[in-house]
Each structure stands twice: as structure tokens, then as C-alpha cells.
Amino acid sequence: MTVIGLLTDFGIKDGNVGVMKGVIAGINPDAQIVDLSHHISPQNIAEAALILSRSYAYFPPGTIFVAVVDPGVGTQRRPIAAQIGEYFFVAPDNGVLTLVYQSAERQNKPIKVIQLINPAYWLPLISHVFHGRDIFAPVGAHLSSGANLDDMGTPVDNPVRINFPQPEPISGGLRGEIIHIDHFGNISTNILQIHIAGVEKLTVQMDNTTIPGLVRTFGEREPGELVALLGSTGYLILAQVNGSAAQVLHPKIGDPVMVFFDNPSLKE
Amino acid sequence: MTVIGLLTDFGIKDGNVGVMKGVIAGINPDAQIVDLSHHISPQNIAEAALILSRSYAYFPPGTIFVAVVDPGVGTQRRPIAAQIGEYFFVAPDNGVLTLVYQSAERQNKPIKVIQLINPAYWLPLISHVFHGRDIFAPVGAHLSSGANLDDMGTPVDNPVRINFPQPEPISGGLRGEIIHIDHFGNISTNILQIHIAGVEKLTVQMDNTTIPGLVRTFGEREPGELVALLGSTGYLILAQVNGSAAQVLHPKIGDPVMVFFDNPSLKE
Amino acid sequence: MTVIGLLTDFGIKDGNVGVMKGVIAGINPDAQIVDLSHHISPQNIAEAALILSRSYAYFPPGTIFVAVVDPGVGTQRRPIAAQIGEYFFVAPDNGVLTLVYQSAERQNKPIKVIQLINPAYWLPLISHVFHGRDIFAPVGAHLSSGANLDDMGTPVDNPVRINFPQPEPISGGLRGEIIHIDHFGNISTNILQIHIAGVEKLTVQMDNTTIPGLVRTFGEREPGELVALLGSTGYLILAQVNGSAAQVLHPKIGDPVMVFFDNPSLKE
């Protein structure tokens, strides 16, 4: 039973995700469909890329991800499917797979990307505005039934990638930025565990708020305190114990976050 | 593996949808349950009818839809199950199937409606307020296991239908109205592709806003522009490219939308 | 096919629930995963306990519930798994199973609780902040594959319980409190059917609002009226017909609700 993971910005109130699942069930009744998220901010390709890249490796090998955040639907943007390491991805070619490509490259895993041009794997009628239903879900379902990626289209050598800002060195530390705010109001930065490896003490600063040290987990401080810690996928996050850091700090995606390494002048 | 599609106004926070799935799994462990939506506006039978009618045909034949928007639960309103073309429906008899009946009639598909009176297909205890759990989910599960509709109750000749306003001709065009506002803030009217078939140019007007022409898809205009286009199920929709038309136009369900056909005086 | 029911406060936008499902599918592809709720208020153990206790018995025997509302993740709080009657539960030992224990005790069903200490049933890497993914989901998946509870850890004699206030007798009636507000704005009290059994007439009072009598279901009164009735799991609830009692009464969890039995002076 192959898993198909769905990631969209469709929300769940209008029936569109249900329709994609109906289409999949009609092609492969044995596919096991898992919702990764349907609450990506509308048209936010970067957010979808982030959620996908930090999640996919927890699924069983062979899982097919259908990722539809698709502001260019119906234009010349290409529909693609990709085999990346042990996983498959079906998506518009708009950069939503950028971080998965990078992850595979770091691990020397093979990447094969195909432009979907063979309508034999699509619904008979293709709308201009809902390729999730008409192209991406059917292609994912056919892949889950054992269809061959190579039969679905032609190779793509230069799939679209989008730019993800990296943390930059500053005097005494790093300047990162906010890349995600989660359901709990935890604030994720683009600073990874590897960026601060070996650092014994550090101070995190956002706007006028300074958070000392790093805790291992929320429960090490009292409810209401702001803490900095490494999240479950290795990113440095800011949180409020039993509360919402977002409600305290009012962050926006892209806002700067500074980390200072063991800097006495800051800790007076 | 038969698909059971669920459509309710229950939301997803209180466990009620989960309980319906638990009941189904207890009766038919092999049923494949798909959420169509649980975010129908509370008690909004017309909205549920719309979502159901535009979605069901994308599911595999034999799919059983359990549609529970049920303000009359526990009163004399009848619980029904229906076989309509290749699909089954289980619902309160309050008009939620109106558009499915109409769709079947246009296609000359058979309609059989049964009033559910046989408690052998229900849970042992029936509450006054949650027939989704106690009657509709179990009936759907038994249908998915191969139970016979005719054994569940007695024929209904006059199932309840609700009125859906149709677009009306006005001087130079059509007067429609708003029937749905989706997760993206796209505004759907009750004007269908067939109502404007053959029209080469048109102008859409809502309140004091005029939108020229029809585009095929969002990406044909610049971000922020308002556009009119045909949605993926054939309804004329108003949208803002990469934005929310609802935030710009503040529509309410039932608000009028005018379409003028190629009318030079309007386009000066 | 064993059912695994998931209950968390994770929300559904960040992919964390999807990742738990991916982990489960990797361990037991045949498990059938059902969402009970992922919208428990953040860190609200009591609310999770309530939803779980009133829902679990509607699932088929053998169902495994993975309940992760876990403000103490990564601290000394114990991870546990339990066999309670015909059901299994995997959770942090923070009281989220309190009402399930009580329910089993009332029914003289056996309770076995194990502290999870055997990492053979976990993911290889354990984060400090996401045991839902790293411990609880894998343990649930292994149980669904037939793993033995006793092999997973050591017995716990004194699992944590939290206090749930009970209704108290007052002159002429009972004083209860609000324990849940649902998606429709219905207000649930901690007053159960058994607390008012045999009472022929009663009056419900909250703040300055008095609601006469008990109705059996919503449709017995006109839209807009406030009514008191027994909800589908036996709790006394306050509702507005076709509306939201919460929007009218602005309740908070813990607010008092009084019930007066057949008290003429109140009914003048």
C-alpha cells in the first residue's frame, strides 16, 4: 500500500482536497492518502518548500508527495514529477521542490525530473485553474499504481529553484531571519543546529528582546518565559513556555533574528 | 475498498467527525473514508448542497456520501438514503441533495430515495442530537459493506428540495448572485459557463466595481488585479490575482453580480 | 486492519500530524489512522481528556489512541502506554487519561499502564521537543502491528491523574461549571444526565440568563432561542437554536452554571 502525501494551500472547507482524494481513489483504490498540510499560506511557495523538506524523510520510502501551491496554474509554468532518492514528488515547476533538491544533493542522492506532457495520466478534461485535481492528483495516483515516471513526459534539466536566504556572519555571531511561525506561536529561524555547533553559550536577540542561552526543552523554564531552543528538525526556534511567542513578539516572515556567541558585553 | 465521503458542518475540533469514523471502522474496517468538508457554515444546507453537487462525480462510482448538515436533528425530518446514478447518499431529508437530484435528472440517471426506518442498520442507542454518529454513519458503513438500500426503509416519492436562485436576464446581460466564497477569497456566482456560452466579450459588475473581460486563468493578469474567470466546476468566479477578492469586495452570500455582454456603453 | 486514533494540540498547518502519520505508515502500512482532533487548545490536558473519554468507546475494540498534549515533553514526565478494557492508549503521563481510567473503573474493566522505556519501539533519534513523532506514534504503530505492551517498558502503579471538578449541591439544585465550548458555540457543562435523573422540571441559570426547562433537541424551539438539553454524550449543554450560545453568553471554561429543580419561585 503506497502512501500519497498531499501538501496544498487549498484549505479544507471547499471540498477541493476531498475531490483530489476522490480522483486518487478512482485510479488507485489501494493508495493510502496522508494530509501533510492544506494550510500553507495562499501562494506561498517558500513555506510549502520548507514544510515539505523538513517532513518527507519521515515517510516510508516510495511515498509520493503531491505538492500543489500553484499561483501559475494554467500559464506556461511546467507541471513536473520527480524521483529524488527514495521518494517521488508531483508539483508545479515553481521552486516548491527547491529544498528537497538541496537535501538530496547534500546526500548525493539521484534526482530525476520529468515535465509532465502525457495526458494519458491525467483526467480527460483539464481546467485552467485546478491542476491539482486534473493533473497532479492523477499523476500521483498512477505513480502509486506503478506507472513509470519516464512514460509521463520528458526530462527537465533545469527545474526552477527559489532563493532561501542563509544566515550571515555578523560581529560576534550570526544574523538569521524568521522563516515560519507555527500553530503554537513558536517562531522558527533559518539558523540551523550546524550553524551554532560547538557554541557553548549564546544569546538570541529579536527587536528589543534578548533571550539568554539555549534550553533543551520548554519545561526547563517557567510558564510565560521566552526561551530559545532547537526545534525537532534542527532549526533554532523562539518560544514562550505554555504560551505563544508570536503573540509576545509579533514576528513577520523575514524579520531578522540575531545570535551572539558567548559575548560578555551583551550579557552584563 | 469502497469510499465513504463525509460532508458536515461539525468542524474538526470536538472529535465528532472522528467518532463517526470510529463508528464506520467498527462496522466496515475496509471502508476508505474521505473528508469532503467539515467546514460547511453551521446549518447551511444550501452551501452543503453546492459543495456536494460539484464534487461527487470526481469520486469513483459506488462512493457513498454521508452528508450531515442537520438543523432538524431529532425532529420529524426524515433520515434518508438514496441511490442516484452510480453513487449513494445518506443524509437528512432537508434539501441537501437537491442539486444532486437535479444533476441526475439532467443526465437521465435513476434516483431512488429511501426513508431510513430500520434500526438494524443504526447504533443501538439513538441520541436526539447526533444522528451523524447514531444513524447516518452506520447506514453509510453498512451500505459500504454491501447492505441493500431496500432493506433499510421505505420509498420516498417527494424528497425535500430547496430553491436555488437562477440567473435572470436583464437589459444587456444577466443578473446572478453570489453562492460561495472560498478559502482563497474567490467569489463564486450562480452564473454557469452554459449561461454565457458563445458570448465573446463581457463585463462583470459587482457593487461599484467593474471587471472587464474574462481571463482563462489567474496568471494572465498582474498580482493585485481583479479578474473574472470560469472556475474549475464551471461557475463564473471573481478573484484577485495572488490575493483575496473577498477582502477587496466584502461580498455576502446572495449579493447580486451583473454580467453585461459586449456592451459598448459600459466600456467607454 | 487496526485503527489508530490521533488526538493532539498540534493544529494541522505545520505538517507535524502528517509526519506522525508518515512514521506510522513506515512501521505498519496496514494501520488505519483516524484523526480524533488536532485542535485541542494548546497545552490543555483537561480538554484532551474530555474529548478522549467521551469518544473512545465509539471506536472498534482494539483501537489504539495516541494522545499527545504534552507541555512537559523532554522533561522527567513519563511516556506511557496503557491497555484499558478493550482499548490501548499511548500518551505522556500527565493526566490526559484520567477520565478513561475513571470510566474503566466504573465499569470494572482492567487497567494496565506501562512506562515506555524500551527504545526498540521508538525512532532511532529522539528530539527533546517532539515525542509525538519520535516515541508515541512509533509505539502506537508497533502496538497496531501486534507488539506486546509488556515488552515496551515497566509497570506504572500510580499514573498521574488530574482533578475534574464535580457538580455540587446547592439550595434547590446543583452548581456545575463549563467544561467545553464546541464548534457550534454550544456550551457543555460538567452536569451529567445521571445528576439530574428523575427531575421533571428544571431551570438553568448562567450569569443573568435563565433558560427554562429541558428540550430534547434543537428544533423544538424557534431559531435564536436559548435552550438547555442533554448532549449526545450525556452532558447538559446550553445552545442557541440555529445559532451560537457562545456568542450570546460569552462563556469561559470554568464559569459556573446553576441548575434549579422545579423551583416555583424562580419561574414566576
Side-chain angles (χ1 to χ4, degrees):
Chain A
M1 198 189 288
T2 305
V3 175
I4 298 180
L6 301 182
L7 178 68
T8 77
D9 59 353
F10 294 170
I12 56 173
K13 79 181 192 64
D14 305 306
N16 296 322
V17 170
V19 162
M20 288 176 66
K21 295 179 183 178
V23 168
I24 290 169
I27 294 169
N28 181 6
D30 293 326
Q32 183 181 356
I33 305 170
V34 171
D35 297 307
L36 186 50
S37 175
H38 301 292
H39 292 276
I40 299 299
S41 306
Q43 294 98 32
N44 194 328
I45 297 166
E47 187 183 26
L50 178 70
I51 299 293
L52 184 58
S53 72
R54 73 181 198 183
S55 303
Y56 77 96
Y58 288 97
F59 284 72
T63 295
I64 297 150
F65 292 92
V66 176
V68 192
V69 176
D70 193 12
V73 60
T75 66
Q76 292 301 311
R77 73 97 188 85
R78 301 178 287 202
I80 58 174
Q83 184 171 7
I84 303 177
E86 302 88 354
Y87 297 93
F88 293 86
F89 300 86
V90 186
D93 182 28
N94 60 16
V96 69
L97 302 184
T98 302
L99 294 173
V100 178
Y101 301 142
Q102 292 178 2
S103 160
E105 286 161 353
R106 278 195 303 273
Q107 302 171 69
N108 290 312
K109 300 214 167 168
I111 297 174
K112 178 200 282 189
V113 183
I114 297 290
Q115 179 176 358
L116 298 168
I117 61 169
N118 187 345
Y121 298 98
W122 308 350
L123 290 197
L125 291 173
I126 306 299
S127 75
H128 297 298
V129 294
F130 192 4
H131 289 186
R133 176 193 69 192
D134 303 332
I135 296 179
F136 300 119
V139 163
H142 283 294
L143 284 172
S144 76
S145 295
N148 195 321
L149 195 60
D150 297 311
D151 295 337
M152 293 181 165
T154 51
V156 171
D157 293 331
N158 56 344
V160 171
R161 299 185 185 215
I162 55 178
N163 185 45
F164 286 87
Q166 295 301 305
E168 292 179 6
I170 56 173
S171 173
L174 281 175
R175 182 193 181 282
E177 63 177 62
I178 294 171
I179 57 172
H180 186 64
I181 301 159
D182 79 9
H183 174 78
F184 292 102
N186 298 330
I187 301 167
S188 180
T189 72
N190 62 344
I191 298 168
L192 280 161
Q193 187 164 15
I194 52 169
H195 295 127
I196 54 175
V199 174
E200 288 190 14
K201 290 188 76 170
L202 55 75
T203 302
V204 178
Q205 194 174 356
M206 182 186 154
D207 287 339
N208 296 320
T209 302
T210 300
I211 303 173
L214 266 193
V215 295
R216 284 185 318 128
T217 191
F218 310 101
E220 293 181 22
R221 292 286 182 278
E222 293 301 307
E225 278 194 50
L226 289 171
V227 295
L229 69 166
L230 291 167
S232 68
T233 54
Y235 290 97
L236 180 73
I237 66 174
L238 314 187
Q240 186 187 39
V241 178
N242 285 12
S244 164
Q247 284 187 12
V248 177
L249 296 171
H250 305 290
K252 292 192 308 296
I253 301 297
D255 281 354
V257 173
M258 257 69 73
V259 170
F260 296 99
F261 302 147
D262 198 15
N263 186 326
S265 67
L266 263 169
K267 295 179 186 165
E268 296 175 343
Chain B
M1 199 188 289
T2 304
V3 175
I4 298 180
L6 301 184
L7 177 69
T8 77
D9 60 352
F10 294 169
I12 56 173
K13 78 180 193 65
D14 305 308
N16 295 323
V17 171
V19 162
M20 287 176 65
K21 295 179 183 177
V23 167
I24 290 170
I27 294 169
N28 181 6
D30 293 325
Q32 182 181 356
I33 305 169
V34 172
D35 297 306
L36 187 51
S37 175
H38 300 293
H39 292 276
I40 299 299
S41 307
Q43 293 98 33
N44 195 327
I45 297 166
E47 186 183 27
L50 178 70
I51 299 292
L52 184 59
S53 72
R54 73 181 200 184
S55 303
Y56 77 96
Y58 288 97
F59 284 72
T63 296
I64 297 149
F65 292 92
V66 176
V68 192
V69 176
D70 193 11
V73 60
T75 66
Q76 291 301 313
R77 73 94 187 87
R78 300 178 288 202
I80 58 175
Q83 183 171 9
I84 302 178
E86 303 88 353
Y87 298 93
F88 293 86
F89 300 85
V90 186
D93 182 28
N94 60 16
V96 70
L97 302 183
T98 301
L99 294 172
V100 178
Y101 301 142
Q102 292 178 2
S103 160
E105 285 161 352
R106 278 195 303 274
Q107 302 171 70
N108 291 312
K109 301 212 167 169
I111 298 173
K112 178 199 284 188
V113 182
I114 296 290
Q115 178 177 359
L116 299 168
I117 59 170
N118 186 345
Y121 299 98
W122 309 349
L123 291 196
L125 291 174
I126 307 298
S127 73
H128 298 298
V129 294
F130 192 4
H131 289 186
R133 176 192 70 193
D134 303 333
I135 296 179
F136 300 118
V139 164
H142 284 294
L143 285 172
S144 75
S145 296
N148 195 321
L149 196 58
D150 297 310
D151 295 338
M152 294 180 165
T154 52
V156 171
D157 293 331
N158 56 345
V160 171
R161 298 184 185 217
I162 54 178
N163 184 46
F164 287 86
Q166 295 301 305
E168 293 180 4
I170 57 173
S171 173
L174 283 175
R175 182 193 181 284
E177 63 176 63
I178 294 172
I179 57 172
H180 186 62
I181 300 159
D182 79 7
H183 174 77
F184 292 102
N186 298 330
I187 301 167
S188 181
T189 72
N190 62 344
I191 299 169
L192 280 161
Q193 188 164 15
I194 52 168
H195 294 128
I196 54 175
V199 174
E200 288 189 15
K201 290 188 79 171
L202 56 76
T203 303
V204 178
Q205 194 175 354
M206 182 185 155
D207 286 339
N208 296 320
T209 302
T210 300
I211 303 173
L214 267 192
V215 296
R216 285 185 317 128
T217 191
F218 310 100
E220 292 181 22
R221 292 288 182 277
E222 293 301 306
E225 278 193 50
L226 289 171
V227 295
L229 69 167
L230 291 168
S232 67
T233 53
Y235 290 97
L236 179 73
I237 65 174
L238 314 186
Q240 185 187 39
V241 179
N242 284 13
S244 163
Q247 283 186 13
V248 177
L249 297 171
H250 305 291
K252 291 192 309 296
I253 301 298
D255 282 355
V257 173
M258 257 68 74
V259 171
F260 296 100
F261 302 147
D262 198 14
N263 187 328
S265 67
L266 262 170
K267 295 177 185 166
E268 296 175 342
Chain C
M1 197 188 290
T2 304
V3 175
I4 298 179
L6 301 183
L7 177 69
T8 77
D9 59 353
F10 294 170
I12 56 174
K13 79 181 194 66
D14 304 308
N16 295 323
V17 170
V19 161
M20 287 175 65
K21 295 179 183 177
V23 167
I24 290 170
I27 293 169
N28 181 7
D30 293 325
Q32 183 181 356
I33 305 169
V34 171
D35 297 308
L36 187 50
S37 175
H38 300 294
H39 292 276
I40 299 300
S41 307
Q43 292 99 34
N44 194 328
I45 296 165
E47 187 183 26
L50 178 70
I51 299 291
L52 183 59
S53 73
R54 72 182 199 184
S55 303
Y56 78 96
Y58 288 97
F59 284 71
T63 295
I64 297 149
F65 292 92
V66 176
V68 191
V69 176
D70 193 13
V73 59
T75 66
Q76 292 301 311
R77 72 94 188 88
R78 299 178 288 200
I80 58 175
Q83 184 171 7
I84 302 177
E86 303 88 354
Y87 298 93
F88 293 87
F89 300 85
V90 186
D93 182 28
N94 60 16
V96 70
L97 302 184
T98 301
L99 294 173
V100 178
Y101 301 142
Q102 292 178 3
S103 161
E105 285 161 353
R106 278 195 302 273
Q107 302 172 69
N108 290 313
K109 300 212 168 172
I111 298 174
K112 178 200 283 188
V113 182
I114 296 290
Q115 178 176 1
L116 299 168
I117 61 171
N118 186 346
Y121 298 98
W122 308 350
L123 290 196
L125 291 174
I126 307 299
S127 74
H128 298 298
V129 294
F130 192 4
H131 289 186
R133 176 191 70 193
D134 303 333
I135 296 179
F136 300 118
V139 163
H142 284 295
L143 284 172
S144 75
S145 295
N148 195 321
L149 195 61
D150 297 310
D151 295 337
M152 293 181 164
T154 52
V156 171
D157 293 329
N158 55 344
V160 171
R161 299 186 184 214
I162 55 178
N163 185 44
F164 286 87
Q166 295 300 307
E168 293 179 6
I170 56 173
S171 173
L174 282 176
R175 181 192 182 284
E177 63 176 63
I178 294 172
I179 57 171
H180 186 62
I181 299 159
D182 79 8
H183 173 78
F184 293 101
N186 297 330
I187 302 166
S188 181
T189 72
N190 62 344
I191 298 169
L192 280 161
Q193 187 163 17
I194 52 169
H195 295 127
I196 54 176
V199 174
E200 289 189 15
K201 291 188 78 170
L202 55 77
T203 303
V204 178
Q205 193 174 355
M206 182 187 155
D207 287 341
N208 296 321
T209 302
T210 300
I211 303 173
L214 268 192
V215 296
R216 284 185 318 127
T217 190
F218 309 102
E220 291 181 23
R221 291 286 183 277
E222 294 300 307
E225 277 193 52
L226 289 171
V227 295
L229 69 168
L230 290 169
S232 67
T233 54
Y235 289 97
L236 180 73
I237 65 174
L238 314 187
Q240 186 187 39
V241 178
N242 285 13
S244 165
Q247 284 186 12
V248 178
L249 297 171
H250 306 290
K252 292 192 309 296
I253 302 297
D255 281 355
V257 173
M258 256 68 72
V259 171
F260 296 99
F261 302 147
D262 198 15
N263 187 327
S265 67
L266 262 169
K267 292 178 188 165
E268 299 173 340

